[in-house]
Amino acid sequence: MTGSENSSFQPTSTVADKLLGGLLASGFDEGSCISRYQSSMYRKISPHKPSLFLLSKLRKYENRHKQCGPYTKSYIKAVKELNSSQANGTTGCNYIVWLPSNGLGNRIVSLASAFLYALLTNRVLLVHHGTDMDDLFCEPFPNTSWLLPADFPLKNQFDSFEMRNIHSYGNLLKNHNMSSSTMLQKPAFLLLYVAYDYEDHDKLFYQDQNQGFLQGVPWLILKSDQYFVPSLFSIPTFRKELSILFPDKETVFHHLVRYLFHPSNEAWGLITRFYQAYLEKADERIGLQIRLFHPESIPSQLVMKQILSCTEMENLLPQLDKQKHLVSASPLKNQTLKAILVVSLHSIYYENLRNMYWIKPTVNGEAIGVYQPSHEEYQQFGNNMHNMKAWAEMYILSMSDVLVTSTWSTFGYVAQGLGGVKPWILFIPDNQTIPDPPCQRAMSMEPCFHYPPSYDRKANIILDNVDLGPHIRNCEDASWGLKLVDNDHE
């Protein structure tokens, strides 16, 4: 197979929903982003349909982004007003600039959250990222760009002491006794710092009474590594509109991630070449995503035992026949082919599974293939090719029919959101013992908000008397975290 874009490959899926139920706008140049309209051919059609109100909201947003996006008259005027000490509000366009923080999975879930906030507040989302995210994604909006221009005047201040400690909204509230009402003038811009290590005054962003003040600030600079969507549902100002946008609450990320994130042609080449070589002909694809944040403290043998305990308990992997060397003396007809996809920084789990299914047959006689795209050994921050591979593997993992993911892993969250599946979550071994149970089926396919305002990270306590709303629960993989659940979830 040749060609990095692999545009001639025709998958075996017979029916494709090219526009994803209306999520995607038509009219893009298909050659500039092959994955946008081709990706649906690699999956079953999602049973989760976007609401008509969401589709209308997206089309209106696309028009607004085209009117207010980079180098338009409105954008140029709004940039000039950044030099003012206070907001003028004369351009008709307000902006939210997203800043990256942490790894690629964190960036994707936080960027999706920022876009939803832009939808709710009629802002234009502009994305600032370094070279480590170059050419990972296609432009999501037609006839414009979501990339923050290189000559944006505040760009050199994003990581400065002044931005975090002087221009942040939390610091402003701290200096005004935690209230926006005492501020006579609205600044031209503010930093919203809502990353995992934010302080109590930063968390006031989530209070309903502060949204009116923020609405009058033309430029919001947002830095986050969190999926903070659950807390948007807790803000009364947004709750009604969110309920109309997403009648099924557990589909928020599923719709947002498929709308926003389309692999670039280079990334799509990595994805489709792997799929064609190893996964295309499989009758079932089983994805195992194994992420250890402190691998030195947990023996790989223990993790492997936990994986097998989980998959045996839930009947996820084909069962081995330990008494035989052959299932049949003659070749099997219509033999089922199952592909096991292992995604991990380490190769040990892939090697163990490959050897298991090589040495012994399965009880039902399936042919088993075990595959791993890469094993980088450790997470490499600031490395573009590392991120390219990570993005490709998230996407490949999302093509699984059955998915097992790891506790706290945003990598797994992205895959389950793209695929629209509820994974089984592997719990972290405690005191060198396998948890009981070793894994649990997720209550919804939504990501977990790891550090909500209701959790005091320093004291390690969950605040009492917090109204979470009817569709928010604590996460399976982080008891202090929050996630959205379906309307009829018990």
Side-chain angles (χ1 to χ4, degrees):
M1 179 171 48
T2 60
S4 63
E5 296 169 6
N6 194 24
S7 58
S8 63
F9 170 43
Q10 295 297 318
T12 56
S13 299
T14 56
V15 180
D17 178 15
K18 188 175 180 179
L19 299 181
L20 305 183
L23 269 181
L24 306 185
S26 59
F28 280 92
D29 173 19
E30 296 194 24
S32 66
C33 183
I34 295 170
S35 69
R36 188 189 317 276
Y37 299 133
Q38 196 184 82
S39 62
S40 60
M41 301 168 68
Y42 291 76
R43 307 181 190 280
K44 298 173 183 176
I45 295 177
S46 173
H48 309 288
K49 304 304 180 185
S51 68
L52 293 177
F53 186 51
L54 174 60
L55 301 186
S56 173
K57 194 81 170 178
L58 291 175
R59 301 294 86 83
K60 289 178 181 177
Y61 175 85
E62 290 161 0
N63 290 332
R64 182 166 67 250
H65 199 110
K66 185 177 179 181
Q67 175 188 343
C68 302
Y71 300 118
T72 60
K73 289 182 180 179
S74 296
Y75 171 84
I76 292 170
K77 188 174 183 180
V79 166
K80 288 181 179 178
E81 292 183 359
L82 275 171
N83 296 322
S84 173
S85 60
Q86 63 187 71
N88 294 320
T90 59
T91 69
C93 298
N94 286 348
Y95 299 84
I96 183 165
V97 177
W98 175 86
L99 306 184
S101 180
N102 224 312
L104 185 62
N106 293 83
R107 296 180 186 194
I108 291 174
V109 299
S110 70
L111 185 47
S113 304
F115 177 68
L116 181 56
Y117 186 72
L119 280 184
L120 294 169
T121 57
N122 296 317
R123 291 182 178 271
V124 170
L125 172 68
L126 297 177
V127 175
H128 168 66
H129 62 68
T131 56
D132 64 341
M133 286 179 67
D134 282 348
D135 202 29
L136 265 62
F137 312 115
C138 301
E139 292 280 0
F141 313 127
N143 304 309
T144 185
S145 176
W146 70 341
L147 297 179
L148 185 72
D151 58 359
F152 185 70
L154 299 180
K155 220 169 187 181
N156 293 331
Q157 301 180 40
F158 285 156
D159 296 321
S160 68
F161 173 87
E162 288 78 9
M163 181 65 76
R164 177 73 178 91
N165 292 280
I166 297 176
H167 298 299
S168 76
Y169 184 50
N171 188 73
L172 201 64
L173 289 173
K174 187 177 181 180
N175 292 337
H176 287 79
N177 297 318
M178 303 297 185
S179 173
S180 301
S181 61
T182 61
M183 304 179 201
L184 299 179
Q185 297 177 341
K186 294 182 175 66
F189 72 94
L190 280 174
L191 171 71
L192 300 177
Y193 189 86
V194 285
Y196 78 97
D197 58 346
Y198 59 167
E199 304 290 344
D200 287 344
H201 46 276
D202 297 310
K203 296 178 181 180
L204 296 175
F205 160 69
Y206 295 111
Q207 290 194 357
D208 188 57
Q209 64 265 31
N210 291 327
Q211 293 303 318
F213 177 85
L214 290 172
Q215 193 66 30
V217 180
W219 290 91
L220 295 178
I221 316 297
L222 183 137
K223 188 162 189 174
S224 176
D225 56 2
Q226 298 292 301
Y227 182 71
F228 57 83
V229 168
S231 283
L232 296 182
F233 274 80
S234 296
I235 298 174
T237 296
F238 302 142
R239 191 176 290 169
K240 181 178 179 180
E241 184 173 6
L242 282 168
S243 293
I244 303 172
L245 284 168
F246 303 101
D248 184 351
K249 305 302 179 291
E250 77 162 278
T251 64
V252 178
F253 186 63
H254 177 56
H255 293 319
L256 293 180
V257 73
R258 293 184 305 145
Y259 173 75
L260 286 174
F261 299 100
H262 307 283
S264 67
N265 286 351
E266 183 178 355
W268 192 236
L270 295 177
I271 294 163
T272 54
R273 284 192 295 274
F274 188 92
Y275 183 94
Q276 182 184 24
Y278 305 112
L279 304 178
E280 178 194 5
K281 295 180 181 179
D283 297 294
E284 184 181 31
R285 302 166 190 88
I286 304 162
L288 301 177
Q289 185 257 336
I290 305 159
R291 177 69 161 100
L292 303 176
F293 292 94
H294 302 287
E296 69 284 349
S297 63
I298 305 175
S300 60
Q301 300 94 325
L302 181 67
V303 177
M304 193 67 219
K305 287 181 180 179
Q306 181 183 357
I307 294 168
L308 296 177
S309 177
C310 167
T311 54
E312 180 178 349
M313 178 181 72
E314 301 293 347
N315 196 29
L316 303 179
L317 288 180
Q319 184 179 352
L320 290 174
D321 190 334
K322 299 179 182 180
Q323 305 302 317
K324 296 180 181 178
H325 297 290
L326 285 173
V327 175
S328 174
S330 59
L332 297 175
K333 295 181 180 180
N334 301 319
Q335 187 178 30
T336 299
L337 174 60
K338 295 192 176 184
I340 301 172
L341 173 68
V342 180
V343 174
S344 175
L345 291 170
H346 312 285
S347 62
I348 184 68
Y349 310 107
Y350 154 74
E351 292 167 356
N352 285 342
L353 288 166
R354 181 193 59 187
N355 288 338
M356 276 175 45
Y357 286 104
W358 182 32
I359 292 171
K360 289 291 184 180
T362 65
V363 170
N364 295 324
E366 302 102 328
I368 308 298
V370 184
Y371 310 106
Q372 181 174 12
S374 73
H375 47 91
E376 301 280 282
E377 300 304 327
Y378 61 93
Q379 188 168 0
Q380 302 172 32
F381 295 98
N383 185 318
N384 179 252
M385 182 48 67
H386 178 81
N387 281 337
M388 182 75 72
K389 291 178 181 178
W391 173 224
E393 292 183 30
M394 288 178 198
Y395 213 93
I396 294 167
L397 190 66
S398 76
M399 296 171 173
S400 303
D401 302 300
V402 175
L403 187 59
V404 179
T405 61
S406 297
T407 291
W408 298 350
S409 177
T410 53
F411 191 116
Y413 297 161
V414 174
Q416 71 197 44
L418 284 167
V421 297
K422 297 178 184 178
W424 280 264
I425 304 171
L426 292 167
F427 296 124
I428 296 176
D430 183 31
N431 196 26
Q432 302 297 305
T433 59
I434 296 175
D436 184 17
C439 62
Q440 179 181 333
R441 187 77 184 272
M443 68 182 85
S444 86
M445 56 190 177
E446 279 288 293
C448 177
F449 182 7
H450 288 161
Y451 294 99
S454 57
Y455 175 63
D456 186 328
R457 185 177 66 92
K458 292 181 178 179
N460 193 28
I461 58 172
I462 300 174
L463 303 181
D464 296 329
N465 302 319
V466 178
D467 179 17
L468 299 178
H471 304 291
I472 300 173
R473 301 286 186 276
N474 291 114
C475 307
E476 303 91 346
D477 55 338
S479 60
W480 58 89
L482 302 177
K483 72 185 301 182
L484 291 165
V485 298
D486 196 358
N487 292 350
D488 57 1
H489 179 81
E490 296 296 333

